Amino acid sequence: MGRGRVGTKYKEVIELFDEKTGDAVRILCFRNSIAFDEFLKGFKAMRYPGYGWRYGDKREKKEKHE
């Protein structure tokens, strides 16, 4: 008999941004909590000057152009 996957789907989306302008520089997606925790540890240790991170919006943003 086959075994099914147990657990919930994990997906964390964050944006790296320039602290002066607030513009997103890069969007990162993490598929498990271990990878996300490793990113946080590395980010704190390296202390990228001038850059920060924030949680990204998982939903697609639609803009209306007229």
Side-chain angles (χ1 to χ4, degrees), residues 27-64:
I27 297 173
L28 303 169
C29 298
F30 297 93
R31 299 211 181 262
N32 62 54
S33 60
I34 295 169
F36 182 63
D37 290 341
E38 289 298 318
F39 165 78
L40 291 178
K41 288 178 189 175
F43 193 84
K44 288 177 185 176
M46 289 182 238
R47 300 182 186 201
Y48 296 99
Y51 293 96
W53 70 271
R54 60 186 168 224
Y55 289 102
D57 190 3
K58 294 179 184 179
R59 295 170 287 153
E60 255 185 65
K61 294 180 181 179
K62 294 183 180 178
E63 295 181 22
K64 292 182 181 179

Side-chain angles (χ1 to χ4, degrees), residues 1-7:
M1 291 188 167
R3 298 176 108 185
R5 295 177 106 182
V6 177

Side-chain angles (χ1 to χ4, degrees), residues 12-24:
E12 198 66 63
V13 178
I14 64 165
E15 296 177 339
L16 290 179
F17 66 93
D18 184 323
E19 290 180 337
K20 288 183 181 178
T21 64
D23 294 335

